[in-house]
């Protein structure tokens, strides 16, 4: 159902069973998948593609021009997957020509009040971002990541899958998979053991991840020296493999104790 006060551009593509609340604005080149629920006073600007069964609450701004001063009106995109919950006053911006022209958000994520996803970000699946979490431009977030309230990450930063970022943490370096980070600036505080257990990781896998953590943060070795050790661990416990791959791709450096 589309409320009579909503303004939907004739070029927008609206799926089946979509609800659009009062005073909401849907611009041209917007595609909204089936069974989405768009609240009142939402602005969605294209080119933006939104998947199925997403719920977007009031005052959210989705697909707006980015806040990069280099942006000069180029045609850029935002893509959002399925089954996301985007709460009040969240802001998701489209990409820039300086990157790949697109901001991508996966599926089954929860974005609490006032979360900002900047231009060219990549967000995986099954993540939780608490109130006022902030992602700067070009940030890459893996799957099953949790951001506490008011946590923020520097542009071009990366957070690996299953990491846990504490409230008010400030990330100026990358956070490897499975790692818990807290502080200003953030430091590592072990692995997200409880989260891994809840997601069905075996005791053996968690033990191997703990060993990998010690190699990265407590052995005194350089990153290049740690990678072969993690690859050897990966032969017995494949869950460690994403830690090795993350370190291979590291350019900004990782958080340190």
């Amino acid at each position: 159902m589309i409320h009579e006060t909503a303004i939907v551009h004739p070029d927008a593509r609206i799926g089946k069973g979509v609800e659009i609340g009062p005073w909401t604005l849907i611009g041209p080149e917007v595609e909204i998948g089936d069974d989405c629920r768009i609240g009142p006073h939402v602005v969605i600007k294209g080119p933006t593609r939104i998947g199925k069964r997403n719920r977007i609450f009031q005052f959210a701004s989705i697909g707006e021009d980015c806040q990069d001063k280099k942006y000069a009106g180029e045609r850029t995109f935002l893509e959002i997957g399925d089954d996301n919950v985007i709460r009040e006053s969240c802001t998701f911006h489209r990409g820039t020509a300086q990157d790949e022209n697109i901001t991508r958000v996966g599926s089954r994520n929860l974005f609490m009040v006032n979360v900002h996803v900047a231009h060219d970000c990549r967000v995986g699946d099954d993540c939780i971002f608490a109130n006022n979490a902030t992602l700067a431009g070009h940030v890459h977030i893996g799957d099953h990541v949790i951001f506490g309230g008011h946590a923020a990450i520097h542009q071009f930063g990366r957070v690996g899958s299953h990491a846990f970022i504490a409230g008010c943490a400030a990330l100026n370096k990358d956070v490897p998979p499975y790692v818990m980070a807290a502080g200003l600036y953030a430091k590592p505080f072990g692995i997200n053991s409880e989260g891994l257990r809840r997601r069905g990781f075996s005791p053996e896998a968690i033990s191997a991840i703990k060993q990998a953590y010690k190699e990265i943060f407590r052995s005194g070795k350089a990153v290049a020296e740690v990678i072969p050790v993690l690859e050897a661990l990966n032969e017995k416990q494949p869950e460690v493999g994403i830690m090795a791959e993350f370190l291979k791709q590291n350019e900004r450096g990782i958080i340190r104790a």
Side-chain angles (χ1 to χ4, degrees):
M1 181 185 72
I2 300 176
H3 194 274
E4 61 183 7
T5 61
I7 301 175
V8 179
H9 194 278
D11 291 341
R13 298 174 61 186
I14 308 300
K16 298 178 181 178
V18 173
E19 297 180 14
I20 299 177
W23 311 110
T24 284
L25 173 64
I26 310 294
E29 297 191 90
V30 171
E31 180 180 344
I32 300 176
D34 297 346
D35 300 312
C36 287
R37 298 166 62 188
I38 314 298
H41 298 281
V42 173
V43 176
I44 304 179
K45 182 177 179 180
T48 291
R49 180 186 179 279
I50 299 173
K52 298 178 180 180
R53 299 177 301 277
N54 292 286
R55 188 173 184 191
I56 303 176
F57 283 71
Q58 56 266 29
F59 307 115
S61 176
I62 307 297
E64 186 53 86
D65 297 352
C66 71
Q67 299 178 120
D68 191 323
K69 291 182 69 176
K70 298 186 296 297
Y71 179 71
E74 299 91 347
R75 180 178 170 80
T76 61
F77 302 86
L78 168 66
E79 183 177 280
I80 298 173
D82 304 326
D83 300 296
N84 294 288
V85 176
I86 301 171
R87 295 296 308 231
E88 300 90 328
S89 302
C90 287
T91 51
F92 289 22
H93 289 171
R94 303 190 324 278
T96 65
Q98 287 73 36
D99 201 319
E100 296 181 1
N101 288 324
I102 188 167
T103 302
R104 285 195 176 95
V105 174
S107 298
R108 301 178 303 279
N109 299 294
L110 169 59
F111 300 89
M112 298 186 193
V113 172
N114 208 42
V115 170
H116 177 60
V117 178
H119 59 88
D120 304 292
C121 283
R122 306 287 187 273
V123 177
D125 301 328
D126 301 292
C127 297
I128 298 173
F129 299 88
N131 294 7
N132 299 288
T134 300
L135 309 184
H138 313 278
V139 163
H140 288 196
I141 307 293
D143 302 328
H144 296 281
V145 172
I146 296 177
F147 259 66
H150 296 274
I153 180 170
H154 193 277
Q155 62 183 358
F156 294 100
R158 297 186 305 142
V159 177
S161 295
H162 302 281
F164 183 96
I165 311 303
C168 297
L171 304 178
N172 64 342
K173 299 291 184 181
D174 293 352
V175 181
Y178 309 117
V179 171
M180 295 193 299
L184 180 62
Y185 288 106
K187 298 178 180 180
F189 285 86
I191 68 167
N192 185 16
S193 299
E194 183 59 32
L196 299 182
R197 281 192 289 268
R198 292 177 181 178
R199 294 172 198 138
F201 281 67
S202 69
E204 294 78 14
I206 294 174
S207 178
I209 292 167
K210 286 181 179 178
Q211 186 177 348
Y213 175 90
K214 291 177 181 178
E215 289 289 337
I216 296 170
F217 295 106
R218 297 182 183 174
S219 68
K221 298 174 183 175
V223 168
E225 297 174 295
V226 170
I227 291 173
V229 179
L230 301 191
E231 290 177 330
L233 284 172
N234 181 57
E235 294 180 4
K236 295 182 179 180
Q237 291 295 333
E239 292 84 358
V240 176
I242 64 170
M243 302 179 84
E245 291 302 316
F246 188 93
L247 295 183
K248 288 178 183 179
Q249 298 170 18
N250 180 255
E251 296 179 357
R252 294 179 51 81
I254 61 173
I255 59 172
R256 289 292 186 182

